Amino acid sequence: MQAMALLTNIITGDLPDPTSYKKATDPSHPEKPQWEAAVLKETNTLEERKTWRYVKRKDIPKTMRPIRCKFVFKKKFVKDGTIQYKARLVACGITQRPGLDYSSDELYASVCSYSSMRFLMSLATQKGYQLYQTDIQGAYLESDIDDEIYMDVPPNLPRFDADGDPIVCKIERGLYGLKQSGYAWSQCFKEFMMHDPKYQMGFTTMSGEPNLYRKTYTLNGKPAEIFVGQYVDDCLLAASSKEVLQDFITSLSARFPVMNRVQGISPL
């Protein structure tokens, strides 16, 4: 860990990641333009995906207290050797109140157990199946939030409307940091895999493992089988052929923003 930290410092010029929006955008910060661009990109993405809508603060119920939010900054290294500046806006779930901002039965994330993952890899090896891993970008933002939750406006956006009234954000999508975002995403993905009438994926869950999905069907006149192990926003896939694998990735990409695509995968 110390060696990795040392290497990171050498590559980034010994500049640590900012710990707050104020520090990242301080006029004296040498990377201020990069962090401001990252913040703008993040908030534009969230607004384009309708993560919240603005309401007047005076119009929200008196029992509701807007939760806080903050930016988390991180430099990542791309394969070509360049540095990518990432800013993620997260809700401060620690300020949520149980029973008002979330329910105790919503504290759940879809995590396939390690033993189930090992079973899947073992099964794929025995059958000569294609193994592949993919992840869904901004997965939590794909799910709707049914609870009534309000959040302070991010620090880089205006906090007053055209009338001069203070405004807050009413959360509409599963923003990272919310207590119930993991649960909302798990239900969204399960609905897509098992019940969505538009995509008709037709998967079933394995007995004893609700986050391991299986489907058998006919593709191009041949029997096909595919398993999907879900670990929050990552998926481990085991398919009977590359065509089956591509068929699933095509459907998955039509519904969610998928980062990894199939590129010449060979069976183990």
Side-chain angles (χ1 to χ4, degrees):
M1 293 296 291
Q2 291 180 345
M4 180 60 70
L6 179 61
L7 179 60
T8 300
N9 288 338
I10 292 174
I11 296 176
T12 60
D14 202 24
L15 284 175
D17 297 329
T19 56
S20 68
Y21 174 78
K22 183 177 180 180
K23 292 182 179 179
T25 58
D26 189 282
S28 63
H29 198 293
E31 295 177 320
K32 176 177 179 286
Q34 292 91 329
W35 290 125
E36 285 184 330
V39 165
L40 180 62
K41 180 180 179 181
E42 172 73 356
T43 49
N44 284 345
T45 299
L46 294 175
E47 290 191 322
E48 288 170 2
R49 297 178 77 166
K50 296 179 172 51
T51 308
W52 59 68
R53 61 181 176 87
Y54 297 107
V55 297
K56 293 180 183 291
R57 193 180 187 104
K58 64 182 181 181
D59 292 339
I60 69 174
K62 293 183 178 180
T63 56
M64 304 305 298
R65 183 180 63 197
I67 63 176
R68 299 194 303 270
C69 64
K70 67 176 183 178
F71 281 100
V72 177
F73 301 94
K74 184 69 176 178
K75 277 179 280 193
K76 293 187 176 181
F77 306 104
V78 188
K79 291 182 179 180
D80 61 6
T82 59
I83 299 175
Q84 185 178 27
Y85 293 80
K86 303 279 289 185
R88 169 164 283 180
L89 182 73
V90 298
C92 298
I94 193 173
T95 63
Q96 289 184 260
R97 297 168 296 171
L100 290 175
D101 299 321
Y102 68 95
S103 302
S104 58
D105 58 355
E106 294 177 333
L107 303 178
Y108 167 84
S110 46
V111 176
C112 191
S113 67
Y114 288 153
S115 59
S116 296
M117 289 292 192
R118 288 194 292 267
F119 160 77
L120 183 55
M121 288 185 284
S122 175
L123 182 68
T125 302
Q126 294 176 31
K127 291 191 171 186
Y129 280 6
Q130 301 277 341
L131 263 178
Y132 188 70
Q133 181 273 333
T134 188
D135 64 290
I136 299 168
Q137 294 179 293
Y140 281 12
L141 301 177
E142 294 297 320
S143 56
D144 296 323
I145 293 295
D146 298 325
D147 299 303
E148 188 175 10
I149 306 174
Y150 299 91
M151 182 184 75
D152 290 336
V153 176
N156 65 312
L157 297 177
R159 300 195 175 193
F160 299 89
D161 62 11
D163 299 324
D165 293 324
I167 56 176
V168 295
C169 300
K170 185 179 185 302
I171 302 297
E172 305 282 349
R173 311 285 272 180
L175 185 65
Y176 285 88
L178 289 179
K179 295 284 189 180
Q180 61 267 64
S181 286
Y183 172 80
W185 161 242
S186 69
Q187 297 304 302
C188 175
F189 189 78
K190 187 177 291 291
E191 176 69 19
F192 165 73
M193 294 289 281
M194 300 179 65
H195 308 298
D196 194 316
K198 179 179 179 180
Y199 296 95
Q200 298 182 351
M201 298 301 289
F203 279 82
T204 58
T205 55
M206 301 291 287
S207 177
E209 178 53 84
N211 300 304
L212 181 57
Y213 299 87
R214 177 177 180 261
K215 177 182 179 181
T216 57
Y217 64 115
T218 301
L219 180 65
N220 299 328
K222 298 179 181 179
E225 183 177 42
I226 183 170
F227 294 85
V228 179
Q230 182 194 7
Y231 196 97
V232 190
D233 57 356
D234 290 297
C235 294
L236 178 63
L237 316 176
S240 55
S241 69
K242 187 176 179 180
E243 291 71 27
V244 175
L245 186 60
Q246 184 64 68
D247 180 60
F248 173 75
I249 291 293
T250 299
S251 298
L252 186 68
S253 302
R255 173 62 180 86
F256 302 113
V258 177
M259 179 174 291
N260 299 329
R261 304 295 179 107
V262 177
Q263 295 180 350
I265 304 300
S266 299
L268 294 177

